[in-house]
Amino acid sequence: MALTRLFVVLLGTALPLLFFSPADAGEVGVSYGRLGNDLLDTASVVKLLNKSGITTVRLYDANPTVLGALANTGIKVMVMLPNDDLAAAAADPSSALRWVLRNVAAHYPATRIHGVAVGNEVFEEARSLTWQLVPAMANVHTALVKLRLDEAVKVSTPIAFTALEASWPPSAGRFRRDIARPVMKPMLDFLERTGSYLTINAYPFFAYLEQPDKISLDYALGSSMTGVRDPVTGLVYHSLLDAQLDATYFAMEKLGSSAGVRDEGNSSLGRGGRPRVRAYVSESGWASRGRRRPGRRLEADGDGAPAPAPAAAATIANAKAYNNYLINRVLSGDTGTPYRPDVDMDVYIFALFNENQKGWGADDIERHFGLFYPNQTKVYEFDFHGGALPSWCVANAGVRDARLQAALDYACGHGADCSDIQPGAPCFEPNTVVAHASHAFNSYYQRNHRAKAACNFGGAASVVCHQPKIGNCVLPSKAWIQETTAKSEGYAAI
Ligand SMILES: *[C@@H]1O[C@H](CO)[C@@H](O)[C@H](O)[C@H]1NC(C)=O
Ligand SMILES: *[C@@H]1O[C@H](CO)[C@@H](O)[C@H](O)[C@H]1NC(C)=O
Ligand SMILES: *[C@@H]1O[C@H](CO)[C@@H](O)[C@H](O)[C@H]1NC(C)=O
């Protein structure tokens, strides 16, 4: 029975865990790949970045022309020491120092370099370098220390998500056995010691392509209304990216305990065994068209491979939905995950341009990840300034009915329009607490001008970027003129 009562229930102290501390804000940037023969000159690219409000970029090298063009723009840059230079940097500290002098120190601070990626997807793309990876990172860091750049410039290495051998449910997340203790453990200790972060290339898009029968598209796009529950933790995931991030956190955590590390306050595990190192997303994105090689992820080389398979999910609409979800997610400050609601997260969207020298041919999905065509036309609408795109607030299905009902009563008593969910009204059916709560939460959220804090209700609500349909009713997204002053964060205090 979900009849809405239009008064506020005093909750007393029964719901002390409703108060969520908001995550620190992260930043959303773009990966500026240049594997194309028709790309814009760098000066025009910098103008385009500026005009688009893009304030952070990741490069796949440390090209001096690009770094020069980015000087004095305020744009933050993550440069990369390519896999080809990794062995030398690992073997010889003076080689690492020379690389840092030429590719970082020579440009800093005019160019705001704030990170060095040492290699890219080494476990996938340069397996023979696996054992040299952490030594190379350490030598690059030592060089930065020598040049007094180690505070400003952090060292990490983007790993492919395949570094995890288990990722569902997220609580089962663990790193591949062969790299977990010998490589990931020392890497995490290094990242912790140097105040850096783990960077992963995480693509719900590819997970969905692999298992379209098991994964819902909405979930892959970050906007599942019902969500998927981790049966072990009970946490509900509305976004596959969150599940991938939490799998990574659990893998980090497990590694600590399986290596027998106790929390001394200086291991990469924080109090209670939770990793203190944050996981940032060094690449994520969604192709807007194309086909792929079956069984291959990136950089299909194709010898004798079967014919390209269609990738039905590679559409402009889906790419637009996913990348706007990423942008809005970070800009709204809502970067925490269900397991780590407190963490901040930087995200680099892959990629700035469609790149016509990637993959196996014109139709390869690899060539269609760009936000822009090479002629500066947007492939679809997006907005790094924030706030321009619609969003909705829905109830989390995993939350107990009693908590949802309490939050529903609060919303209806604090300015939400709950007339449509009264008996006989058009949105009364389906008559469930979660459906009624979604109507009330959304109304409250829209009336508060989609302030992030107005879609919280102690963790009972989530922002989604797809217009939800409940029974016969779509949730509206227009901002009403009428304003209420309460935010749902105040809800926890009553
Ligand atoms: C674009 O450039 C102008 C002038 O240099 C600067 O004031 C502005 O902050 C830049 N915008 C972004 C998003 O970096
Ligand atoms: C942890 O750090 C403290 C002080 O920084 C130090 O005294 C202690 O020996 C360290 N413990 C370990 C296990 O490294
Ligand atoms: C830019 O390129 C795209 C894709 O080739 C094309 O559809 C679009 O019309 C072009 N825009 C301009 C302004 O030339």
Side-chain angles (χ1 to χ4, degrees):
M1 181 67 180
L3 200 57
T4 306
R5 289 158 291 162
L6 293 170
F7 57 85
V8 184
V9 178
L10 289 177
L11 300 166
T13 53
L15 296 162
L17 46 109
L18 289 185
F19 203 81
F20 267 51
S21 58
D24 298 331
E27 281 197 55
V28 57
V30 176
S31 292
Y32 175 21
R34 295 187 303 121
L35 293 176
N37 60 13
D38 55 355
L39 295 180
L40 275 183
D41 63 281
T42 50
S44 304
V45 170
V46 168
K47 274 195 205 127
L48 185 64
L49 292 170
N50 180 291
K51 198 176 82 186
S52 310
I54 296 168
T55 53
T56 313
V57 293
R58 176 182 168 205
L59 307 181
Y60 289 84
D61 52 22
N63 181 292
T65 309
V66 175
L67 290 174
L70 287 164
N72 307 311
T73 60
I75 294 172
K76 290 194 207 164
V77 188
M78 182 190 283
V79 294
M80 188 171 101
L81 181 148
N83 289 350
D84 286 347
D85 294 342
L86 202 146
D92 179 5
S94 66
S95 161
L97 179 60
R98 279 195 304 276
W99 193 91
V100 170
L101 279 167
R102 197 167 48 237
N103 298 292
V104 179
H107 301 281
Y108 184 89
T111 302
R112 281 184 74 190
I113 297 171
H114 71 135
V116 177
V118 173
N120 188 44
E121 302 201 350
V122 166
F123 310 140
E124 283 280 317
E125 291 181 18
R127 283 170 196 234
S128 61
L129 297 171
T130 297
W131 312 111
Q132 281 129 290
L133 181 54
V134 178
M137 294 168 78
N139 283 345
V140 170
H141 175 73
T142 303
L144 290 166
V145 171
K146 246 180 210 145
L147 299 167
R148 297 181 196 282
L149 292 173
D150 56 307
E151 280 302 316
V153 184
K154 297 301 174 187
V155 175
S156 194
T157 184
I159 59 173
F161 192 65
T162 49
L164 274 72
E165 64 182 13
S167 61
W168 183 260
S171 56
R174 63 171 187 270
F175 290 112
R176 261 169 41 195
R177 216 150 302 205
D178 58 322
I179 54 169
R181 290 179 61 169
V183 185
M184 293 311 300
K185 175 64 182 138
M187 187 196 296
L188 292 168
D189 288 344
F190 165 83
L191 297 173
E192 162 73 7
R193 203 166 56 241
T194 57
S196 187
Y197 34 82
L198 184 68
T199 44
I200 59 168
N201 295 344
Y203 285 93
F205 172 67
F206 286 111
Y208 179 75
L209 286 193
E210 297 299 327
Q211 301 193 298
D213 47 333
K214 293 209 181 121
I215 296 174
S216 85
L217 181 61
D218 282 354
Y219 177 58
L221 292 173
S223 302
S224 163
M225 271 203 39
T226 48
V228 188
R229 192 169 165 275
D230 179 328
V232 178
T233 59
L235 295 169
V236 175
Y237 291 86
H238 295 269
S239 161
L240 175 52
L241 180 68
D242 275 348
Q244 293 184 331
L245 285 164
D246 274 356
T248 307
Y249 279 116
F250 274 101
M252 290 160 79
E253 198 171 305
K254 229 162 264 158
L255 187 54
S257 46
S258 68
V261 173
R262 287 193 198 293
D263 179 23
E264 305 275 7
N266 15 10
S267 80
S268 54
L269 301 179
R271 304 224 168 270
R274 289 193 152 197
R276 281 199 304 253
V277 173
R278 292 151 301 165
Y280 285 178
V281 179
S282 37
E283 276 180 23
S284 193
W286 198 287
S288 59
R289 57 167 274 208
R291 296 182 297 155
R292 64 175 188 137
R293 285 272 151 88
R296 305 280 306 188
R297 221 188 108 239
L298 293 166
E299 313 296 349
D301 55 12
D303 293 337
T315 64
I316 285 184
N318 288 345
K320 176 181 173 186
Y322 182 74
N323 285 328
N324 279 293
Y325 154 74
L326 281 182
I327 296 168
N328 287 348
R329 176 77 187 270
V330 178
L331 291 183
S332 72
D334 179 26
T335 52
T337 62
Y339 184 55
R340 300 294 309 274
D342 53 324
V343 292
D344 65 339
M345 165 173 80
D346 285 359
V347 175
Y348 294 87
I349 292 177
F350 186 87
L352 188 55
F353 294 111
N354 281 347
E355 295 166 73
N356 69 2
Q357 292 177 325
K358 298 200 74 171
W360 47 260
D363 216 16
D364 190 331
I365 45 177
E366 286 292 314
R367 295 192 180 182
H368 301 283
F369 273 82
L371 295 171
F372 289 98
Y373 296 111
N375 62 13
Q376 310 195 45
T377 302
K378 284 179 171 181
V379 178
Y380 41 80
E381 202 46 49
F382 55 84
D383 181 9
F384 281 80
H385 299 96
L389 290 152
S391 57
W392 296 264
C393 181
V394 296
N396 291 336
V399 173
R400 280 185 298 110
D401 274 5
R403 272 182 67 195
L404 283 179
Q405 182 71 53
L408 164 60
D409 292 337
Y410 178 87
C412 294
H414 286 78
D417 178 355
C418 295
S419 56
D420 273 2
I421 50 177
Q422 300 308 311
C427 304
F428 180 67
E429 297 294 344
N431 180 17
T432 62
V433 182
V434 65
H436 286 185
S438 289
H439 283 284
F441 293 175
N442 184 60
S443 169
Y444 187 86
Y445 175 65
Q446 304 296 343
R447 288 190 162 186
N448 282 288
H449 300 284
R450 296 191 284 274
K452 174 63 200 152
C455 182
N456 183 351
F457 297 101
S462 299
V463 173
V464 296
C465 302
H466 265 168
Q467 185 161 37
K469 186 163 191 287
I470 302 171
N472 293 324
C473 290
V474 288
L475 296 188
S477 75
K478 75 182 160 90
W480 280 268
I481 309 290
Q482 184 197 336
E483 233 180 293
T484 60
T485 48
K487 301 274 184 276
S488 76
E489 277 184 345
Y491 167 68
I494 61 172

